[in-house]
Amino acid sequence: VQLQASGGGLVQAGGSLRLSCAASGGAFFGYNMGWFRQAPGKEREFVAGISWTKDTYYQDSVKGRFTISRDDAKNTVYLQMNSLKPEDTAVYYCAADTRSFIGDEYYYSRADEYDSWAQGTQVTVSS
């Protein structure tokens, strides 16, 4: 599957952005999808995940501010980011878990759970 992320940009603290990740070439409806981010000098970290059954999972620091969703008809996963903070500044990556089967555990926060990755999209939050 090929993934294309978009929607990053520069925003002031307190503002909002919506990231999109479009998939092509696979059975999107059956994939678990995740968003990760990597700030300069830091390791890549889990942000949010959504299972193929649309269960959602979040890193504690973004709960209540970020919302992950998916539109299977459009083969797209979204990350709505509200109340952005300077510490949210990072390159954001979406990823697909195409290998899991029904009944498999979804280790949503583990980067090695995902086998396809989009290029990153930069999010910069100014104070």
Side-chain angles (χ1 to χ4, degrees):
V1 62
Q2 303 295 319
L3 301 175
Q4 180 72 41
S6 61
L10 173 64
V11 64
Q12 289 188 331
S16 298
L17 283 174
R18 188 176 81 156
L19 305 184
S20 300
C21 178
S24 61
F28 179 82
F29 64 89
Y31 299 156
N32 301 317
M33 300 295 296
W35 285 96
F36 287 72
R37 67 187 179 187
Q38 187 166 18
K42 295 187 177 181
E43 294 187 353
R44 188 172 299 190
E45 64 176 1
F46 168 76
V47 176
I50 185 166
S51 71
W52 67 276
T53 56
K54 299 187 178 180
D55 294 320
T56 59
Y57 309 90
Y58 298 94
Q59 183 197 113
D60 286 346
S61 70
V62 307
K63 284 180 181 177
R65 299 189 298 122
F66 291 12
T67 302
I68 189 170
S69 62
R70 63 191 296 158
D71 185 337
D72 290 343
K74 295 182 178 179
N75 290 353
T76 301
V77 63
Y78 304 98
L79 185 67
Q80 177 66 45
M81 305 185 295
N82 299 329
S83 302
L84 282 161
K85 303 176 181 180
E87 52 263 43
D88 294 318
T89 295
V91 178
Y92 284 71
Y93 300 88
C94 74
D97 164 25
T98 70
R99 298 171 297 189
S100 292
F101 293 94
I102 294 173
D104 285 350
E105 188 75 23
Y106 172 32
Y107 297 100
Y108 50 86
S109 67
R110 290 175 48 170
D112 62 2
E113 178 75 3
Y114 305 88
D115 53 284
S116 293
W117 291 80
Q119 88 294 345
T121 185
Q122 176 71 48
V123 171
T124 302
V125 185
S126 62
S127 57

